[in-house]
């Protein structure tokens, strides 16, 4: 049985550990808090992030980084994107020499404007053949309940993508492969920003016409940036683009849509952060995606407006009015 280390034991890391275990892997799930690792081992449950879901006995929890990484040929990273660099710097010395990194993260780093695969390469020195990403419509509670789902495994080395595909293919989880790491990562990061915008529309009480318009404009905005940076436009039409976007914007399980709804209802970003232990990646990455678009010369009105609302410089109502008032010659769908 192959060993996989998963960092860390949040909602998505725990759900993906179930996928890995069901596919026949021995999984060590690293938890930042020792008491959570103990609960995972004693109760075969993650009471904080996936309560009520029984974990396979091939999943063990640990707070010990060296123990988690020892003998692991796959290292799955599911930390908040803005903490990856600091965390990985601490973990990297214990990673096995030829281990492959698998990123589940969907964000762009503040400051550097690097995608998660780029941060992994910079911190660890791993080549592109040792870095893969998994992206798609992955609402973690549904994955944890083993509801049928599909995703994309992207790696510049197609053979490595296929290897990982085989390691995560289970009765309920169907992975596809791609070599377009850039497209998969941008689709995954940008859909969170669009999800925030859709959530704001819902929070304001608007209906399906409004949300469908925001989703469509969001997909066009994502595609503009991705294509300008060299991604395959077909990636944005697949699971890692449209599929992930639809799930995030349509489901009340989506953290980003829920965060947006609260903004639409008048809560501040600080109030929302204080009320939950979950991370809405779009609220953290919207400004970095806007900066990336600006640097690339791509018009990004949704990222611009969402960033302004998250920062408290605009209300959700002002955002929606700005979308309607926008010059129709400024963009095409």
């Amino acid at each position: 049985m192959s060993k996989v280390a998963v960092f860390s034991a949040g909602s998505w890391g725990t759900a993906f550990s179930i996928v890995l275990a069901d596919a026949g892997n021995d999984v060590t799930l690293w938890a930042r808090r020792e008491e959570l690792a103990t609960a995972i081992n004693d109760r075969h449950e993650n009471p904080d992030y996936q309560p009520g879901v029984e974990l396979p006995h091939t999943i063990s929890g640990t707070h010990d980084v060296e123990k988690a990484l020892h003998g692991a040929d796959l290292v799955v990273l599911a930390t908040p994107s803005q903490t990856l660099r600091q965390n990985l710097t601490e973990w990297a010395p214990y990673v096995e020499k030829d281990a492959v990194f698998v990123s589940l993260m969907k964000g762009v780093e503040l400051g550097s404007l690097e995608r998660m695969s780029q941060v992994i390469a910079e911190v660890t020195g791993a080549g592109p053949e040792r870095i893969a990403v998994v992206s798609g419509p992955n609402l973690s509670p549904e994955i944890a309940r083993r509801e049928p789902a599909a995703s994309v495994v992207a790696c510049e080395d197609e053979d490595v993508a296929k290897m990982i595909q085989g390691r995560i293919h289970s009765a309920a989880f169907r992975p596809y492969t791609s070599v377009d790491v850039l497209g998969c990562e941008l689709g995954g990061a940008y859909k969170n920003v669009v999800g925030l915008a859709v959530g704001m529309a819902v929070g304001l009480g608007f209906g399906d016409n409004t949300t469908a318009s925001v989703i469509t404009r969001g997909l066009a905005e994502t595609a503009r940036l991705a294509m300008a940076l060299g991604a395959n436009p077909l990636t944005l039409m697949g699971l890692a683009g449209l599929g992930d976007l639809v799930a995030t914007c349509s489901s009340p399980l989506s953290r980003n849509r829920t965060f947006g709804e609260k903004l639409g209802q008048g809560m501040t970003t600080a109030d929302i952060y204080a009320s939950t232990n979950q991370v809405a990646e779009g609220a953290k990455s919207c400004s970095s995606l806007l900066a990336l678009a600006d640097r690339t010369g791509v018009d990004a009105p949704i990222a611009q407006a969402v960033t302004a609302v998250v920062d408290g410089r605009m209300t959700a109502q002002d955002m929606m009015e700005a979308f309607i008032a926008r010059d129709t010659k400024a963009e095409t769908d």
Side-chain angles (χ1 to χ4, degrees), residues 19-330:
V19 171
L20 287 160
D22 287 350
N25 297 281
D26 183 6
V27 181
T28 302
L29 182 58
W30 179 84
R32 181 171 300 280
R33 291 177 289 112
E34 189 169 5
E35 61 269 24
L36 181 57
T38 300
I40 289 169
N41 291 328
D42 291 348
R43 297 167 54 177
H44 299 292
E45 176 192 11
N46 185 331
D48 290 357
Y49 294 99
Q50 292 293 353
V53 176
E54 182 178 358
L55 301 179
H57 285 253
T58 49
I59 296 176
S60 61
T62 185
H63 177 63
D64 186 323
V65 173
E66 187 172 5
K67 180 180 178 180
L69 289 167
H70 181 71
D73 63 339
L74 286 185
V75 178
V76 176
L77 299 169
T79 66
S81 57
Q82 303 307 328
T83 67
L84 173 63
R85 184 180 296 274
Q86 178 182 350
N87 287 329
L88 192 54
T89 299
E90 299 174 6
W91 301 334
Y94 304 104
V95 175
E96 299 287 350
K97 180 180 178 182
D98 297 320
V100 174
F101 294 94
V102 180
S103 169
L104 305 184
M105 300 162 291
K106 298 177 179 179
V108 172
E109 188 179 45
L110 294 167
S112 73
L113 307 187
E114 290 185 347
R115 293 173 282 112
M116 297 298 98
S117 64
Q118 294 173 308
V119 175
I120 294 169
E122 188 173 311
V123 172
T124 68
E129 76 285 352
R130 289 181 54 210
I131 302 173
V133 304
V134 172
S135 193
N138 301 137
L139 298 164
S140 65
E142 294 182 1
I143 301 292
R145 293 195 297 264
R146 297 179 174 87
E147 297 183 15
S151 256
V152 177
V153 181
C155 180
E156 290 187 25
D157 187 320
E158 187 174 10
D159 290 337
V160 174
K162 289 180 177 178
M163 178 272 291
I164 297 170
Q165 178 187 42
R167 295 280 296 274
I168 65 175
H169 190 182
S170 68
F173 194 81
R174 172 67 164 93
Y176 294 80
T177 62
S178 171
V179 295
D180 186 14
V181 174
L182 169 63
C184 286
E185 286 190 294
L186 283 178
Y190 223 103
K191 60 91 184 180
N192 289 329
V193 178
V194 182
L196 285 169
V198 169
M200 289 183 221
V202 173
L204 287 165
F206 298 132
D208 294 338
N209 287 333
T210 305
T211 56
S213 298
V214 175
I215 290 170
T216 305
R217 290 178 64 174
L219 181 60
E221 187 170 314
T222 306
R224 285 199 299 271
L225 178 59
M227 291 170 63
L229 291 170
N232 184 341
L234 292 178
T235 300
L236 281 305
M237 298 300 107
L239 286 165
L242 180 60
D244 203 3
L245 181 65
V246 168
T248 295
C249 294
S250 302
S251 176
L253 294 175
S254 165
R255 302 175 197 173
N256 291 282
R257 173 178 151 145
T258 300
F259 197 104
E261 285 186 43
K262 292 177 179 178
L263 288 172
Q265 293 163 358
M267 291 181 67
T268 67
T269 298
D271 289 339
I272 300 169
Y273 283 146
S275 68
T276 180
N277 64 348
Q278 301 279 12
V279 175
E281 288 283 13
K284 298 288 187 179
S285 291
C286 55
S287 61
S288 53
L289 282 164
L290 176 60
L292 184 60
D294 287 343
R295 189 177 73 182
T296 312
V298 171
D299 189 35
I302 291 179
Q304 183 178 36
V306 168
T307 300
V309 177
V310 168
D311 290 348
R313 294 180 284 107
M314 177 186 283
T315 67
Q317 181 67 46
D318 290 339
M319 181 191 77
M320 297 308 303
E321 292 176 359
F323 284 168
I324 298 301
R326 183 173 167 79
D327 185 353
T328 55
K329 295 180 180 180

